[in-house]
Amino acid sequence: MITVTVYKDSKGYKGFQSKGHAGYAEEGYDIICAAVSALTVNAVNSVEQFTEDGFTVESEDGRLTFQLDEEASEKTSLLLDSMLLGLQEIQNTYGNEYIRLIFKEV
């Protein structure tokens, strides 16, 4: 199962972590893993390309951690909202046994 934990405080997004594998199909053929990877990596790349917000990112097999240095700008918030919309649609379509979204107040 893929678990995506989104970290927020009263001012907005602080970051997110995606970890695990969906187990929907064999490695290399798992469309859920591919879709989650595309959405999360694209969100990180978009924040880097289209905003001035500073962040740190760590990536290793099956895990991506993204942490903002300061309060998220309006652009970053919109980009992360878009990522979450896609992830929620995957969860709605394929079910909770493959992907789980967790929202944590920090």
Side-chain angles (χ1 to χ4, degrees):
M1 173 190 298
I2 297 171
T3 302
V4 180
T5 305
V6 179
Y7 301 99
K8 294 179 95 174
D9 67 11
S10 60
K11 296 179 182 178
Y13 291 106
K14 301 305 283 178
F16 69 86
Q17 181 178 71
S18 174
K19 65 180 179 179
H21 295 283
Y24 182 76
E26 291 180 43
E27 188 175 331
Y29 297 94
D30 195 322
I31 60 174
I32 296 174
C33 279
V36 170
S37 293
L39 286 167
T40 56
V41 170
N42 187 65
V44 171
N45 291 339
S46 294
V47 170
E48 182 177 35
Q49 184 70 30
F50 300 124
T51 78
E52 300 295 320
D53 292 2
F55 63 88
T56 57
V57 65
E58 293 179 21
S59 179
E60 61 182 62
D61 185 45
R63 185 175 64 85
L64 175 68
T65 304
F66 170 84
Q67 183 175 346
L68 288 160
D69 295 341
E70 295 182 12
E71 186 176 329
S73 68
E74 191 173 324
K75 286 181 179 179
T76 293
S77 294
L78 180 60
L79 292 166
L80 294 178
D81 283 343
S82 179
M83 176 193 76
L84 285 172
L85 177 65
L87 293 172
Q88 288 168 332
E89 286 301 314
I90 293 168
Q91 185 178 38
N92 291 341
T93 301
Y94 293 97
N96 294 333
E97 69 250 36
Y98 300 110
I99 181 172
R100 189 172 90 191
L101 300 175
I102 299 170
F103 296 88
K104 285 198 174 179
E105 189 77 22
V106 292

